[in-house]
Amino acid sequence: MTSAMMISWLVTVTIVVSVTTVNATGLKCDSVRSYFENEGFPASDIPKEAISSKELKVCGSASSGGEVCCSADMELRLQARARDSHEKTTKETLHKMHQILNARANRFHTFFKDLLSTSKRGFHDMFKKTYGILYEQNAYVFTDFFQELENYYAKGTVDLDDALDNFFNILYQKMFTVLNSQYTFDNKYLECVSDHMKEMRPFGDVPPKLSVQIKRSFVATRAFSQALTVAANVLKNMQTLKPSTDCAAALTKMTACPYCIGIPNNVVACNDMCTNVMKGCLAQHAALDAEWNHFVDAVDKIADRLIGPFNIEVLVRPINLKISEAIMNFQENSQDVSQRVFTGCGRPVLGKRKRRDNRELQLESLNFDQETLTDDRAQAVALMDKLVKEIRQRVRDSKQFWVYLPYRLCNNGMGMGQSNTKECWNGTHIDKYRYPVASDGESQKNNAEVRSVGPRSTIVRDQLYALTTITNRLKSAFNGQDVDWIDTEETFYGSGSGSGDGAFTDDEDGFNESSGYGPAEPEPPKQPPPVVHEVETPPRMNIEPKTVGASNANNQTTVDGANGASRQKMSLNRALTTYLLPIVMMWFGGCLTEWL
């Protein structure tokens, strides 16, 4: 072989060896082709051989050799899929919590509506049995009162002070007319009668006490119910928040880039990388955390009121006894009240006496055995307490929900689960993730994966406003103050702005503690909330009252006590003297002619 031929042969061998070496060390795409096919990419769109990475905006930087197995168009579609998958997973998590709180709100709402309905039915049955046609002819006075209570709970547009004042004022006029039915009263005279009501206190101390109790209980109950609804709506509204552009790029880098650079589909992102990506993508969600925690604390405190001094069940169910006590107080002092009114307003004109139908004088026999009623009330109080405690625990479990959301998503299969492993995707290759985990919260300036989270969204600002508003209302209700619902939608569900804090100084019901709203102690991180078993929806109480009695000053706590303690069984003689005798005297006193 000549020297020229030898040189030519060596050059050829060198070239072949060189090509063979490049092919041996170059990027192989066969191992990831099936992944792209399973993702729905047409076979014609998937590169058969590695291509240059210069057209890729996200995954190109991960390719150490400058070659990838996906085109720029494929990267765009992979990014859209990564964003949609993240959005779906986040929505599912928020929707689950939304359903939990919304179900509790509906359950509490149903329980309270049943409570009012049962109380109204028991009131009607008792007063119809006790006062007969007198009550039936004027039942609207009482049904209108219950309707006002229902309207307050449903809409918040009722002034409870005005509603109570109006009820007792009308009741006062009606009773005064009955007790002095030998006279004729015009509207002007009845207005004068009303003007003297407060100074004479015909109903004793029942109206002011009942007014304080109703306001505290109804305000706290509505605030508690509305709080659950507002929280559920916050979770629902946050589901509409879209991922940012930087978030979408980070998601693509974490979930799609391994396949673009030829890594098989059994690789999972390092857990710390996943945590950083989720913290960056959910930074705006984390903006709710502080205000949400304040909300949780406020719900916790108002729940204590509802199973304590503001227990709505203890107030509403025996409301017939309280009003009956007011009527008895009036009857016992009717002569003195009438004379003082005549002195202040003048002697009215005598009217024409009419013969009454004897059927109007018939009263059904009264049963004063209260054991059954007491047992039913104790059962209802227990149901109320159980429901409030279960709801309170559910709300407690949601504390720090927003800052734990990234960990929740990563632990749900998106991350490796172990941060120290060297067999996970770290953003460039299979190895340990080398960047620190970013801090919790909205600020992510030190986040290695998502550095820009963008300006705070209008959606987030609206939810912060809703949480701040309902928290302030809960604090006011906790302190026994009225709550302004003026901008609340006129439906049971709604939210808006409201009043702020204030010190509670009224200790009429035996408590004068401070509000308890001081600086909150930081809580250590906790695991995702445990599963709490559902509580069956409390059944409607079907209670038929067995008494027309009402507590006096000595046994007031039997009606007002938060624990629903049992009354002492009323003796028949005392019951007849206290309740039946005044009614009989009223009818046979010779002074009744016509009921207005």
Side-chain angles (χ1 to χ4, degrees):
M1 182 181 295
T2 64
S3 60
M5 293 176 62
M6 179 65 69
I7 293 173
S8 177
W9 180 80
L10 289 174
V11 170
T12 302
V13 170
T14 302
I15 293 174
V16 171
V17 171
S18 177
V19 171
T20 304
T21 302
V22 171
N23 289 339
T25 60
L27 178 62
K28 302 294 184 181
C29 296
D30 293 341
S31 60
V32 295
R33 188 175 183 84
S34 61
Y35 167 78
F36 292 125
E37 291 176 346
N38 292 335
E39 287 295 308
F41 287 96
S44 59
D45 291 351
I46 306 172
K48 296 180 179 179
E49 301 290 341
I51 61 176
S52 173
S53 65
K54 64 180 181 179
E55 299 295 331
L56 273 60
K57 295 182 179 180
V58 179
C59 298
S61 60
S63 175
S64 59
E67 294 182 329
V68 290
C69 294
C70 59
S71 64
D73 180 68
M74 290 177 65
E75 185 188 53
L76 284 175
R77 283 185 281 175
L78 287 168
Q79 180 168 315
R81 295 183 186 201
R83 182 184 61 243
D84 292 344
S85 177
H86 166 74
E87 193 173 349
K88 179 182 178 182
T89 304
T90 304
K91 279 185 176 181
E92 288 175 350
T93 305
L94 297 182
H95 181 65
K96 182 177 180 181
M97 182 60 70
H98 161 77
Q99 285 185 313
I100 289 173
L101 294 182
N102 193 56
R104 270 55 180 191
N106 288 334
R107 183 176 301 170
F108 186 83
H109 173 61
T110 300
F111 181 88
F112 183 76
K113 294 291 285 185
D114 286 350
L115 176 63
L116 274 181
S117 177
T118 301
S119 179
K120 182 165 62 175
R121 186 172 63 249
F123 185 100
H124 174 77
D125 292 344
M126 170 183 153
F127 272 60
K128 180 179 178 182
K129 178 183 291 186
T130 306
Y131 300 104
I133 197 171
L134 279 175
Y135 169 74
E136 292 186 41
Q137 290 177 341
N138 296 271
Y140 73 91
V141 177
F142 305 96
T143 57
D144 286 354
F145 173 62
F146 272 96
Q147 187 61 51
E148 289 286 79
L149 297 180
E150 291 174 358
N151 287 341
Y152 176 81
Y153 179 74
K155 303 176 181 179
T157 56
V158 174
D159 188 308
L160 292 174
D161 286 325
D162 289 347
L164 286 159
D165 288 345
N166 185 59
F167 166 72
F168 280 108
N169 183 56
I170 295 176
L171 183 61
Y172 174 45
Q173 291 183 2
K174 291 293 184 182
M175 290 195 62
F176 181 83
T177 303
V178 168
L179 294 172
N180 296 279
S181 58
Q182 68 271 34
Y183 298 105
T184 299
F185 302 101
D186 56 19
N187 290 335
K188 184 176 180 180
Y189 195 93
L190 291 177
E191 289 179 5
C192 181
V193 171
S194 296
D195 292 340
H196 290 78
M197 178 178 173
K198 289 187 177 180
E199 65 183 70
M200 288 185 295
R201 297 170 62 89
F203 298 112
D205 60 357
V206 173
K209 284 187 174 182
L210 187 60
S211 179
V212 169
Q213 293 163 352
I214 283 180
K215 276 195 63 175
R216 288 175 176 173
S217 293
F218 270 80
V219 168
T221 300
R222 187 172 203 274
F224 184 76
S225 178
Q226 286 285 305
L228 298 176
T229 302
V230 169
N233 286 340
V234 166
L235 288 156
K236 180 180 180 180
N237 294 334
M238 288 299 290
Q239 295 176 41
T240 64
L241 194 62
K242 301 294 183 181
S244 66
T245 302
D246 285 355
C247 166
L251 290 168
T252 305
K253 180 181 177 182
M254 181 176 73
T255 61
C257 287
Y259 306 105
C260 279
I261 66 172
I263 297 177
N265 58 3
N266 59 354
V267 66
V268 180
C270 298
N271 195 64
D272 285 355
M273 179 187 182
C274 177
T275 301
N276 277 343
V277 172
M278 290 298 107
K279 283 189 175 185
C281 288
L282 300 172
Q284 300 232 12
H285 295 71
L288 299 181
D289 192 68
E291 201 56 50
W292 182 272
N293 293 339
H294 293 327
F295 162 79
V296 171
D297 291 337
V299 170
D300 191 73
K301 291 177 181 297
I302 203 67
D304 286 336
R305 288 286 197 249
L306 290 179
I307 56 179
F310 295 174
N311 191 310
I312 195 71
E313 207 289 330
V314 173
L315 167 70
V316 169
R317 197 171 297 279
I319 201 170
N320 50 3
L321 303 180
K322 295 173 181 288
I323 295 177
S324 178
E325 179 185 357
I327 292 174
M328 297 307 164
N329 289 338
F330 195 163
Q331 288 178 320
E332 291 174 1
N333 302 286
S334 60
Q335 186 174 1
D336 178 62
V337 170
S338 297
Q339 291 303 318
R340 292 171 64 184
V341 170
F342 294 157
T343 301
C345 300
R347 180 71 59 174
V349 179
L350 286 170
K352 183 178 179 181
R353 183 181 298 274
K354 293 183 179 181
R355 182 186 180 95
R356 285 196 175 272
D357 190 334
N358 287 335
R359 289 175 299 176
E360 299 180 11
L361 304 179
Q362 296 175 357
L363 297 176
E364 298 180 18
S365 60
L366 305 178
N367 185 349
F368 293 94
D369 186 357
Q370 300 191 20
E371 290 300 325
T372 302
L373 180 59
T374 300
D375 293 341
D376 288 337
R377 282 193 57 207
Q379 181 183 8
V381 170
L383 284 173
M384 176 73 173
D385 289 354
K386 184 178 181 180
L387 178 60
V388 172
K389 289 177 180 178
E390 193 270 342
I391 292 174
R392 178 177 64 179
Q393 187 59 51
R394 272 297 191 180
V395 175
R396 280 178 176 175
D397 290 340
S398 73
K399 197 166 188 178
Q400 295 184 298
F401 170 81
W402 300 101
V403 294
Y404 277 101
L405 188 57
Y407 301 97
R408 188 188 299 265
L409 295 183
C410 286
N411 291 337
N412 197 26
M414 297 187 68
M416 192 73 178
Q418 297 179 2
S419 59
N420 293 325
T421 180
K422 292 186 177 181
E423 299 177 356
C424 58
W425 169 250
N426 66 5
T428 58
H429 57 287
I430 303 298
D431 199 357
K432 182 179 178 180
Y433 186 71
R434 64 183 183 274
Y435 296 106
V437 176
S439 59
D440 294 329
E442 186 176 13
S443 176
Q444 293 293 306
K445 60 182 180 180
N446 296 322
N447 192 322
E449 305 301 329
V450 187
R451 296 186 182 275
S452 175
V453 298
R456 182 175 288 179
S457 167
T458 301
I459 295 173
V460 175
R461 291 198 298 268
D462 289 345
Q463 307 322 305
L464 284 170
Y465 179 76
L467 287 172
T468 301
T469 297
I470 194 61
T471 299
N472 287 336
R473 285 172 169 169
L474 287 167
K475 291 179 180 180
S476 294
F478 172 84
N479 289 328
Q481 299 170 344
D482 200 0
V483 172
D484 179 18
W485 301 103
I486 191 170
D487 61 342
T488 302
E489 294 181 8
E490 292 194 4
T491 58
F492 165 65
Y493 299 107
S495 61
S497 62
S499 56
D501 303 333
F504 176 61
T505 57
D506 187 353
D507 61 353
E508 180 177 345
D509 280 352
F511 67 96
N512 55 3
E513 66 270 28
S514 62
S515 66
Y517 281 100
E521 293 294 332
E523 294 193 3
K526 60 181 181 180
Q527 297 298 321
V531 176
V532 179
H533 294 293
E534 297 284 343
V535 178
E536 295 183 0
T537 302
R540 180 189 298 268
M541 296 290 101
N542 185 14
I543 299 178
E544 296 295 331
K546 299 298 183 181
T547 176
V548 299
S551 62
N552 56 23
N554 294 329
N555 63 1
Q556 183 70 29
T557 56
T558 59
V559 174
D560 297 340
N563 59 357
S566 301
R567 300 171 182 270
Q568 293 182 347
K569 187 172 181 181
M570 187 180 296
S571 68
L572 181 60
N573 290 336
R574 181 172 179 271
L576 291 173
T577 302
T578 304
Y579 301 112
L580 188 57
L581 184 58
I583 299 173
V584 176
M585 293 298 293
M586 178 180 69
W587 283 99
F588 292 99
C591 64
L592 301 182
T593 58
E594 182 178 5
W595 177 264
L596 297 182

